[in-house]
Amino acid sequence: MSWFGKLIPSKIRTETRRKKSIPEGLWTKCETCGAVLYRAEVERNLDVCPKCATHMRIGARKRLDSFLDPEPREEIAADLIAVDELKFRDSRKYRDRLAAAKKETGEKDALIVMKGQVKGVPVVVCAFEFSFMGGSMGAVVGEKFVRAVNTCLEHQIPLVCFSASGGARMQEALFSLMQMAKTSAALARMSRQSIPYVSVLTDPTMGGVSASFAMLGDINIAEPGALIGFAGPRVIEQTVRQTLPEGFQRSEFLLEHGAIDMIVDRREMRDRIASVLAIMTGRHAP
Amino acid sequence: MNLNFLEFERPIAELEAKIEELRYVGNDNEINISNEIARLEARSKVLTKTIFSSLTAWQTAQLARHPQRPYTLDYVSRIFTGFEELHGDRTCADDLSIVGGVARLEGKPVMIVGQQKGRDTKERAKRNFGMPRPEGYRKALRLMRMAERFKLPLLTFIDTPGAYPGIDAEERNQSEAIASNLFVMSELRIPIICTVIGEGGSGGALAIGVGDHVQMLQYSTYSVISPEGCASILWKSAEKAPEAAEALGITSAKLKELGLVDHVIEEPLGGSHRDPDTMAERLKTVLVSELDRLSQMDIDKLLEARYARLMRHGHFASARK
C-alpha cells in the first residue's frame, strides 16, 4: 500500500478488488499476501496463490475444466437465456445489464451445467459464473439447476454444484425468490431416490443461493476462506451495530459451527469428491 | 379512534379531525349538527375510496407495515377455536417471532404457523419485530412435520420484514433453516395454504410460504428484497425506495397478474386495521372453502400440482430460436 493509502482510515478505504484482473498481463499480484506472481504459474495452480494458498475467484468454465475428466462432456441447457418479464429498470435497464454481462463473460447466464465424469465416476456438475451479475440467481439459473437435477434422476448419477453467488437476482423480483423453492423442491425429489448431492460453497455464497440448494448438500464442502452466509456482513453490522468477529461467515467459522462437513483445498477437490462419490454410490475407489 | 394515519392519508385525517371536533361541540350544544356530521362522514368515505383506489406500490408497503395492522394472533383468535400454542424447536430456544399450534377451523383440526410482530415497544422486542431466527424456522419445521404425521392441514400466515440478520442467526445457520423448510414443505403430504397478511419479506417469508394455495390480503406485499434494500443497492440511495417498490412489483394485484399468487382477498375500506373483524371474516371464508377443495384432492395429485406450480415460476427463453 502506498504512503497515501495508509493515511486513509480503514473505514473509508475502498477495496480495489476488481482491478487485479488484467487478463493480458504476464504478472499478477495476490490480494492477500501481496506476492507478485507469474500468471502462468497461478493458472497451473488453479488460481490458488502458490505463496499463501489464498483461493482466488475462478470462472465457471475453468472450474469445470479442472474438475471433470476431459472426456466425455456434454453441456446441459446451454441455450437458456433470461427474459425481462418485468421490464425492470433501476439506474440501468436489466436488459442492458444482461447484455453487458454476456459481453464481459461470454456466457448466457450465471450457471453452467455439464454432464461428465470425475475420475471415471459419472456426474452432473453445476458451476456459477460469478462475473455474470454477481452470480445472481434468476429464472435461468433456477431452471438450469432443475434440469441438472432431472439429468441426475434420468441417469441415476450424482450431482455436484459449485456455488459462487451474491443471492437472488433483484431484477427478476419475486420470480427470483421463487427459484429458491423451485430448486429445493427438485432436490427433495432427488434425495428421495438416494442420489448423492455434493454442494461446494466457494467465495462468496450468500442470500438466496445459500438459503436454498447450496446448504442442502448430503455433503457440504467449502473452499478455504470463502465468505458464506445468509445476510451480508454489512447488513448485519447495520442491524446489530457492533463490529463483526474476526473470520465471521468464513469457511472455517462455518466448519466450527457445524454448517459444513469439510474444507477442501481446490487442488485436492477432484480427488476428494471422486473418492467420496465412489463410496456413496458403491463403486470401487477411483 | 386514533387510526394512526399515514402520510398519504392526511386529507382523510383532517376530515376525521373535523368530525371529531363537531361531535365534541355537539355534545354540549343545543344546535343539531348531526346532519353536518353525516355529510362530512360521507365525504370522508368518498375521499378514502378515492385515495385507496390508486395507491402506489410504496404506499401499499406502508400499509402492509402499518403499526395497527392485524397480526397473525389477531386472526387466529377471530378465525379459529381451540388454539393451543406449541413452543420451541426442541434444541435451542423458543423464537417468539414465529407462533404455531393446533386449532380448529369450523370444527376441522388444522396446524397453524405464522410470523408474529409486536404492537408496543416491549412486545416488538419480544417478537424481534417479526424477524425469525433459525430456531423460529426450526420450530415451524417441527410443527409442519407433526402436522404431516397427524394429517392436519397446514395454514401459514406470512408477516415478516425478513429473516433476522444477526450474528447469532448466522452462527446457527439461518441459510440451512430456511433451505430445509423449502425442501420439506415441497413434499409435505398434507394440504398447505399460505396467506401473506402483511409484509412478505424475502427468504424469511418464503420459508413458511411453499404451498398448494398462496394468497395475499389486498394491501400486503411480497418481495425478494425490501424496497429500501433494493434502492440502496441498485440506486445507491435508500431514498429511491418508492421507485424500487414500483419496479419490484410487490403488490398483490401485480403478483396476481404475474401468476405468482393464486388469490387476493379484498380488504375493508382503508385497510384491515380499520376493521379487523370484517377482514378476519373474509379470510375465514376463503380458508374454509380452499381447505375444503384441497382436502378433497388425492394427496399424490396434490403433491404433483404443488411441484408443477413451483416449476412454473420464472420466465426464460431459448437462444436457439
Side-chain angles (χ1 to χ4, degrees):
Chain A
M1 197 182 292
S2 70
W3 66 270
F4 182 70
K6 280 179 190 155
L7 283 178
I8 305 169
S10 61
K11 288 246 164 185
I12 59 167
R13 208 180 281 152
T14 321
E15 293 274 344
T16 48
R17 277 209 153 203
R18 303 227 64 180
K19 282 190 187 155
K20 68 156 189 202
S21 52
I22 317 156
E24 274 77 44
L26 203 54
W27 298 91
T28 184
K29 198 172 160 185
C30 173
E31 285 283 311
T32 314
C33 68
V36 177
L37 306 163
Y38 186 45
R39 178 165 288 282
E41 192 193 349
V42 174
E43 286 190 1
R44 262 199 310 276
N45 212 28
L46 302 177
D47 287 47
V48 176
C49 172
K51 298 273 188 284
C52 74
T54 289
H55 283 53
M56 305 171 196
R57 284 177 189 162
I58 180 173
R61 298 271 167 198
K62 208 167 160 188
R63 165 84 67 185
L64 290 164
D65 202 44
S66 69
F67 184 72
L68 284 169
D69 298 345
E71 291 285 328
R73 287 182 191 184
E74 181 197 334
E75 190 169 346
I76 291 164
D79 59 312
L80 296 189
I81 49 167
V83 171
D84 180 17
E85 185 70 10
L86 292 158
K87 303 213 172 13
F88 194 97
R89 179 187 192 140
D90 48 84
S91 49
R92 268 171 90 187
K93 280 187 193 158
Y94 177 34
R95 296 175 113 197
D96 294 345
R97 284 187 193 265
L98 278 172
K102 279 178 194 164
K103 204 170 160 198
E104 194 190 318
T105 62
E107 300 297 346
K108 295 193 187 74
D109 213 299
L111 191 73
I112 317 292
V113 183
M114 234 173 241
K115 180 167 166 276
Q117 296 185 351
V118 52
K119 299 185 86 178
V121 182
V123 284
V124 174
V125 185
C126 308
F128 271 85
E129 178 57 61
F130 188 74
S131 315
F132 195 104
M133 294 188 74
S136 57
M137 171 162 66
V140 171
V141 170
E143 177 67 16
K144 279 189 157 187
F145 188 87
V146 169
R147 299 240 183 131
V149 170
N150 290 343
T151 310
C152 292
L153 285 169
E154 188 189 332
H155 300 275
Q156 297 283 306
I157 55 175
L159 176 66
V160 177
C161 176
F162 292 91
S163 302
S165 170
R169 187 173 294 169
M170 281 174 286
Q171 290 85 352
E172 292 188 24
L174 203 66
F175 287 114
S176 67
L177 187 75
M178 291 306 159
Q179 304 311 308
M180 294 169 65
K182 178 171 171 172
T183 52
S184 302
L187 282 176
R189 288 214 154 172
M190 198 172 79
S191 177
R192 222 189 317 140
Q193 296 199 20
S194 301
I195 297 171
Y197 166 42
V198 175
S199 172
V200 186
L201 301 105
T202 77
D203 188 58
T205 300
M206 304 299 291
V209 169
S210 164
S212 60
F213 56 83
M215 272 296 166
L216 290 172
D218 293 302
I219 296 177
N220 290 339
I221 297 175
E223 284 193 335
L227 184 73
I228 301 161
F230 175 66
R234 257 193 313 163
V235 176
I236 298 175
E237 219 157 31
Q238 280 162 15
T239 312
V240 300
R241 292 178 196 285
Q242 63 187 85
T243 10
L244 302 173
E246 178 81 21
F248 180 65
Q249 291 184 319
R250 296 286 167 185
S251 306
E252 298 71 18
F253 172 94
L254 270 85
L255 184 66
E256 197 182 309
H257 287 89
I260 55 173
D261 293 281
M262 55 183 109
I263 295 172
V264 174
D265 189 297
R266 188 178 292 158
R267 294 161 293 187
E268 296 170 11
M269 200 64 84
R270 189 173 136 82
D271 290 346
R272 299 274 297 272
I273 291 182
S275 164
V276 162
L277 285 180
I279 290 173
M280 294 177 82
T281 51
R283 292 169 156 264
H284 290 294
Chain B
M1 184 169 50
N2 175 16
L3 280 170
N4 223 326
F5 288 101
L6 297 167
E7 183 60 34
F8 66 85
E9 295 177 291
R10 182 165 289 169
I12 309 170
E14 280 166 6
L15 208 52
E16 288 293 328
K18 218 177 268 175
I19 295 169
E20 271 308 300
E21 222 171 85
L22 273 180
R23 280 214 182 97
Y24 184 73
V25 175
N27 284 341
D28 49 30
N29 221 316
E30 283 169 16
I31 316 158
N32 186 353
I33 49 167
S34 57
N35 282 346
E36 176 67 3
I37 290 182
R39 199 179 61 79
L40 284 177
E41 272 175 344
R43 228 175 86 193
S44 168
K45 205 170 167 185
V46 171
L47 189 62
T48 310
K49 260 186 194 157
T50 318
I51 289 177
F52 276 75
S53 66
S54 57
L55 290 181
T56 65
W58 179 238
Q59 287 166 341
T60 310
Q62 289 167 282
L63 272 174
R65 300 170 182 169
H66 197 288
Q68 286 173 321
R69 196 167 171 84
Y71 300 141
T72 295
L73 289 176
D74 298 313
Y75 289 119
V76 169
S77 63
R78 285 174 170 86
I79 295 174
F80 302 91
T81 54
F83 177 59
E84 275 300 340
E85 191 175 345
L86 304 172
H87 291 272
D89 70 343
R90 295 287 190 270
T91 347
C92 169
D94 181 34
D95 186 338
L96 295 173
S97 62
I98 285 196
V99 295
V102 290
R104 286 179 189 275
L105 176 64
E106 296 240 295
K108 284 188 188 143
V110 293
M111 180 68 84
I112 295 167
V113 168
Q115 279 127 354
Q116 179 68 30
K117 293 180 177 175
R119 195 73 63 197
D120 55 35
T121 314
K122 207 173 142 197
E123 216 207 327
R124 271 187 207 128
K126 185 173 122 183
R127 303 285 183 189
N128 197 32
F129 303 88
M131 294 187 286
R133 291 186 164 84
E135 47 271 32
Y137 292 117
R138 289 179 185 135
K139 167 165 75 176
L141 187 62
R142 178 174 79 84
L143 299 184
M144 292 187 226
R145 286 208 160 113
M146 181 155 73
E148 183 182 46
R149 220 166 337 119
F150 298 104
K151 296 195 165 46
L152 307 174
L154 175 66
L155 307 178
T156 72
F157 300 95
I158 295 160
D159 189 12
T160 179
Y164 184 58
I167 295 175
D168 55 345
E170 295 290 325
E171 280 174 349
R172 294 195 284 277
N173 208 351
Q174 187 72 282
S175 291
E176 188 276 342
I178 294 170
S180 287
N181 284 15
L182 304 178
F183 185 92
V184 170
M185 287 184 95
S186 72
E187 294 209 314
L188 275 186
R189 296 181 68 78
I190 42 171
I192 307 174
I193 301 175
C194 309
T195 311
V196 187
I197 58 169
E199 273 183 284
S202 192
L206 186 64
I208 60 165
V210 179
D212 304 301
H213 179 83
V214 179
Q215 56 183 1
M216 293 175 75
L217 303 193
Q218 189 179 5
Y219 302 127
S220 63
T221 57
Y222 200 177
S223 180
V224 65
I225 183 170
S226 71
E228 294 92 329
C230 180
S232 64
I233 296 170
L234 291 181
W235 279 265
K236 316 278 178 217
S237 152
E239 278 156 33
K240 296 283 184 185
E243 280 94 327
E246 205 62 54
L248 287 166
I250 61 176
T251 63
S252 61
K254 180 75 184 172
L255 295 172
K256 174 82 176 35
E257 180 196 316
L258 293 172
L260 287 160
V261 300
D262 304 305
H263 183 62
V264 176
I265 307 177
E266 197 190 335
E267 296 196 20
L269 184 62
S272 300
H273 60 287
R274 299 262 194 117
D275 189 353
D277 291 334
T278 302
M279 189 68 249
E281 201 48 52
R282 286 182 193 170
L283 176 54
K284 184 179 177 177
T285 308
V286 178
L287 288 176
V288 169
S289 71
E290 266 312 307
L291 193 57
D292 197 41
R293 184 179 70 84
L294 295 174
S295 300
Q296 282 171 20
M297 280 176 76
D298 171 68
I299 190 70
D300 288 315
K301 285 208 177 102
L302 189 72
L303 287 179
E304 275 307 317
R306 190 185 302 163
Y307 192 78
R309 168 180 215 288
L310 291 173
M311 294 305 128
R312 257 198 323 269
H313 289 326
H315 300 262
F316 45 84
S318 172
R320 283 204 209 102
K321 282 174 201 164

